[in-house]
């Protein structure tokens, strides 16, 4: 799940498209991104009360994901991979599974 912080002047969709390119070499048009849901959950490894807010989008692309300068490997994930994820990632996988978008 590519992710990162929103840069000044960016929309959530702009940031999602930029991060997809930077992390997994996938180009997506921010205008074509489909908002799916937002996760708000305790940030992993942070003091109680520090939350992470993650906007999740759907998109179609002809690009094949590939590791880039920011990640060392890419792999597909399913709901069975919850144990490999921090709490925000677990919630994303659960919601994607519930929406019948993975598995």
């Amino acid at each position: 799940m590519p992710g990162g912080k929103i840069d000044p002047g960016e929309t959530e969709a702009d940031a999602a498209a930029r991060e997809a390119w930077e992390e997994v070499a996938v180009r997506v048009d921010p205008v074509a991104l489909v908002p799916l849901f937002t996760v708000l959950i305790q940030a992993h490894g942070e003091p109680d009360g520090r939350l992470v807010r993650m906007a999740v989008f759907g998109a179609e692309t002809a690009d094949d994901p590939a590791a880039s300068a920011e990640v060392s490997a890419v792999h597909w994930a399913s709901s069975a991979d919850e144990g490999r994820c921090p709490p925000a990632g677990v919630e994303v996988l659960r919601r994607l599974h519930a929406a019948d978008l993975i598995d």
Side-chain angles (χ1 to χ4, degrees), residues 12 16 37-39 53-57:
E12 289 178 335
F37 52 83
T38 299
V39 170
R53 180 179 181 277
M54 184 185 301
V56 179
F57 295 88

Side-chain angles (χ1 to χ4, degrees), residues 30-47:
V31 175
L33 293 176
V34 178
L36 297 177
F37 52 83
T38 299
V39 170
L40 184 64
I41 196 166
Q42 171 66 40
H44 182 68
E46 296 291 333

Side-chain angles (χ1 to χ4, degrees), residues 7-75:
D7 287 343
E10 282 186 322
T11 66
E12 289 178 335
D14 291 336
R18 177 181 50 77
E19 291 289 348
W21 173 248
E22 289 176 358
E23 295 188 7
V24 294
V26 169
R27 290 194 190 274
V28 292
D29 180 353
V31 175
L33 293 176
V34 178
L36 297 177
F37 52 83
T38 299
V39 170
L40 184 64
I41 196 166
Q42 171 66 40
H44 182 68
E46 296 291 333
D48 285 347
R50 181 160 301 163
L51 303 176
V52 63
R53 180 179 181 277
M54 184 185 301
V56 179
F57 295 88
E60 291 190 24
T61 180
D63 295 343
D64 289 324
S68 71
E70 293 190 15
V71 297
S72 59
V74 173
H75 66 271

